[in-house]
């Protein structure tokens, strides 16, 4: 197997300590490759990077209309949120809107990702609940599908449940490709995750951005979901997170979402381009450097946006005493490659 | 640059999600290669994996004799400990023995690595101190060097301080190779770390195990330090850690030590072989799978040892609800390679 190129590296004292290989692709909605590097046909698990595409099950089943889901709820359905108060309150309202509460969630509980929220919970003697799980908004969205379908919500995370069948179907419609049973795993929040090639992911995001080759109802829903995420970027991740900061700075031009184990997906909406990145070794921070460099190279940022992106593309590494001991940085030249 | 081979991989639902490349070498004290894979000449930062070699500065300067340092203190000098009570108490005694206290430590403070110790500290309303820093035992050892040299301890972490010059000199004597100013970084605990080829590290550990090509005083000290670590494996790391568990199970046959960013070094003492591994991307758990497989392949484990090693070589990956969703496992075939 040919090795993918080094797309990011960590240097210490000016000398390379770690190398992060990976692949990426930028594609338009006609499947024309704008740029790519590495193997973009090898299926990868997109994990949370495709929550906005999974949310299309809420469009296909009619859940968005039935419950008149507003932008905040749509943003939370796409979120890997940090468990801050605003997220917990939003998901609580989402569940109320569909006539459920947190006991219906099957994502499991974990402490808030946001350090301040985690400390506040500890100081108050609280315990993590499923509402704090970074996926609780997506699960609320999936529960809205169950309610719309009129099926028992119990077991909605299982591959054979009507909810996950609807999610699978929506993904296949957007990606324009079947998902294979041979490449299905269980995600961190217990729902199925299907490995798909990076090129399919990039095409799917380009279609979401443009509506191209999607039925009108899906195209409308995709626009609404992308708008919702772009208008409420803090709901999609949390304070200081790349997805939140960068989507905010791009003021609607960008959909950007990370997924566990080094996946980054999104769309540059005005250009109509989708993109997808996988860091081979799953290193999240390295994948953030990579996507920041990808956006520097291809998203035509203004000066302010470019400054923000550079801070993610080339990050300081600090030791226990806070000394800067190195840098984690994208290999910029690797993102200049055209096919 | 040729890519190193994949030495470990993470699978989800039976399909590979992450790939961890790296290099390793097993070598005897004459420099004969027993086995290797990947680039073993490229310098890597050994980080904490060489604490036992850095501790040879305590032998060369006479600190071990002057302060009659016992096995527990020698084990702590080689440790990346978990900040459990036994570690904090031991380092406190070490500092008392050399007429100092925790205020002399320049490693910085961080919370205990051990989850139970961390929770106990939180529950008691305590704060992390430099004693809890996983490197505090090594720093106590370095302070014993300063006291023996009769120099001001202030700034003992700096590259130009007599302590770090003594540490550098000891490392060069054991490795039999000069350290290059061009490949010097600052470690997590603020001391210098020098990048050296894996083959030099493996040779150094083989020399430490056999005394070969070392002056008698260093050979004696190396034996004492290895014995101390093997007799007190819990002091070298902590509850449940590979280094602690595996050294304990090998009952003196093994010196094994991990270092940050995916480095593993050690010696199979009865065979007189040293070894060194670097995971290219710095993934610690993957490097533990790799070293467990290396020991399965080359350390001639008995059944009990092999069972333990297999549990590290092929580990379950669990999600938020504790479901096993995949495995992190060494690529066993990659460790069959001979040069």
């Amino acid at each position: 197997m040919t090795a993918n190129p080094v797309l990011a590296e960590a240097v210490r004292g000016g000398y390379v300590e770690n190398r992060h290989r990976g692949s990426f692709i930028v594609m338009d909605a006609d499947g024309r490759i704008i740029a790519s590097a590495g193997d973009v046909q090898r299926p990868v698990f997109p994990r949370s990077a495709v929550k906005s595409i999974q949310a299309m099950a809420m469009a296909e089943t009619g859940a968005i209309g039935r419950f008149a889901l507003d932008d905040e709820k749509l943003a939370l359905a796409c979120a890997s949120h940090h468990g801050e108060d605003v997220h917990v309150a939003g998901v609580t309202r989402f569940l109320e809107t569909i006539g459920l509460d947190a006991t219906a969630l099957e994502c499991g509980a974990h402490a808030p990702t946001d350090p301040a929220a985690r400390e506040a919970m500890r100081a108050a003697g609280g315990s993590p609940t499923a509402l704090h799980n970074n996926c609780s908004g997506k699960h609320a969205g999936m529960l809205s599908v169950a309610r719309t379908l009129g099926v028992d919500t119990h077991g909605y995370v299982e591959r054979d449940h009507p909810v996950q069948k609807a999610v699978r179907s929506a993904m296949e419609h957007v990606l324009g490709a079947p998902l294979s049973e041979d490449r299905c795993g269980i995600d961190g929040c217990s729902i199925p995750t299907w490995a798909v090639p990076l090129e399919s992911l990039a095409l799917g995001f380009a279609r979401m951005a443009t509506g191209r080759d999607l039925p009108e109802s899906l195209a409308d829903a995709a626009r609404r979901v992308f708008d919702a995420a772009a208008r409420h970027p803090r709901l999609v991740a949390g304070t200081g997170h790349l997805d939140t900061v960068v989507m905010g700075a791009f003021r609607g031009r960008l959909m950007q979402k990370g997924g566990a184990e080094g996946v980054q997906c999104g769309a540059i909406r005005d250009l109509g381009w989708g993109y997808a990145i996988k860091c081979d070794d799953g290193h999240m921070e390295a994948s953030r450097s990579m996507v920041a460099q990808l956006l520097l190279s291809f998203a035509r940022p203004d000066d302010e946006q470019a400054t923000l992106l550079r801070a993610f593309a080339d990050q300081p590494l600090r030791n226990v005493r806070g000394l800067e001991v190195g840098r984690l940085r994208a290999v910029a030249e690797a993102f200049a490659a055209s096919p």
Side-chain angles (χ1 to χ4, degrees), chain A:
Chain A
M1 188 173 60
T2 311
N4 284 326
V6 176
L7 297 183
E9 57 190 16
V11 297
R12 182 176 294 270
Y15 183 76
V16 176
E17 180 163 36
N18 293 329
R19 290 170 176 81
H20 301 284
R21 294 175 182 273
S23 44
F24 79 86
I25 183 164
V26 183
M27 191 179 249
D28 72 14
D30 294 321
R32 194 168 61 92
I33 298 175
I34 313 303
S36 83
D39 185 346
V40 296
Q41 298 180 330
R42 185 159 78 201
V44 305
F45 289 111
R47 312 290 302 272
S48 291
V50 291
K51 280 173 173 170
S52 60
I53 300 181
Q54 292 170 321
M56 290 302 99
M58 296 194 294
E60 291 199 328
T61 59
I64 296 175
R66 168 162 176 193
F67 293 109
L69 298 176
D70 59 20
D71 280 0
E72 295 194 11
K73 292 180 185 65
L74 294 181
L76 285 165
C78 304
S80 297
H81 68 69
H82 285 194
E84 300 171 63
D85 288 347
V86 65
H87 304 121
V88 171
V91 176
T92 301
R93 280 195 301 271
F94 197 154
L95 290 167
E96 281 168 7
T97 299
I98 60 174
L100 294 172
D101 62 25
T103 60
L105 294 171
E106 297 181 3
C107 48
H110 68 69
T113 312
D114 181 67
R118 204 162 55 233
E119 275 312 305
M121 169 182 284
R122 278 213 184 89
S127 296
T129 70
L131 290 168
H132 299 96
N133 186 309
N134 75 88
C135 298
S136 65
K138 176 184 70 180
H139 281 249
M142 289 177 172
L143 284 164
S144 78
V145 170
R147 299 287 280 169
T148 304
L149 295 174
V151 297
D152 186 2
T153 67
H154 183 74
Y156 72 89
V157 296
E158 303 294 337
R159 200 190 302 193
D160 295 333
H161 190 281
V163 165
Q164 295 307 328
K165 288 183 177 170
V167 171
R168 176 179 179 169
S169 173
M171 283 197 65
E172 289 178 331
H173 292 156
V174 173
L175 300 179
L179 301 174
S180 166
E181 292 285 341
D182 295 339
R183 299 191 299 265
C184 184
I186 299 170
D187 212 324
C189 66
S190 295
I191 69 158
T193 178
W194 308 82
V196 287
L198 283 188
E199 58 181 13
S200 299
L201 294 169
L203 181 63
F205 274 88
R207 288 175 164 185
M208 291 277 285
T210 59
R212 179 127 191 166
D213 294 329
L214 296 182
E216 197 165 337
S217 61
L218 264 193
D220 287 348
R223 191 178 314 112
R224 268 209 69 199
V225 163
F226 273 20
D227 281 345
R231 280 179 199 143
H232 299 282
R234 190 172 163 213
L235 293 183
V236 178
T239 307
H241 191 280
L242 179 144
D243 297 352
T244 295
V245 171
V246 174
M247 270 200 286
F250 271 80
R251 297 181 296 276
R253 288 190 57 217
L254 188 69
M255 173 67 190
Q256 155 58 31
K257 184 72 184 69
E261 304 301 336
V263 179
Q264 302 288 341
C265 288
I268 308 158
R269 300 175 71 192
D270 53 309
L271 301 177
W273 295 349
Y275 59 85
I277 297 175
K278 165 69 178 166
C279 175
D280 286 354
D281 58 62
H283 197 287
M284 282 312 302
E285 212 53 47
S287 75
R288 291 188 192 109
S289 289
M290 293 174 193
V291 76
Q293 183 59 53
L294 180 146
L295 294 171
L296 277 167
S297 297
F298 301 106
R300 304 178 193 169
D302 64 23
D303 289 350
E304 180 205 350
Q305 292 156 354
T307 300
L308 264 178
L309 289 170
R310 276 194 290 270
F312 285 105
D314 186 347
Q315 313 175 25
L317 296 171
R318 299 188 186 281
N319 77 356
V320 168
R321 282 165 64 192
L323 294 175
E324 182 178 319
V325 293
R327 309 288 300 182
L328 173 61
R329 63 190 184 200
V331 177
E333 312 85 68
F335 290 86
S338 280

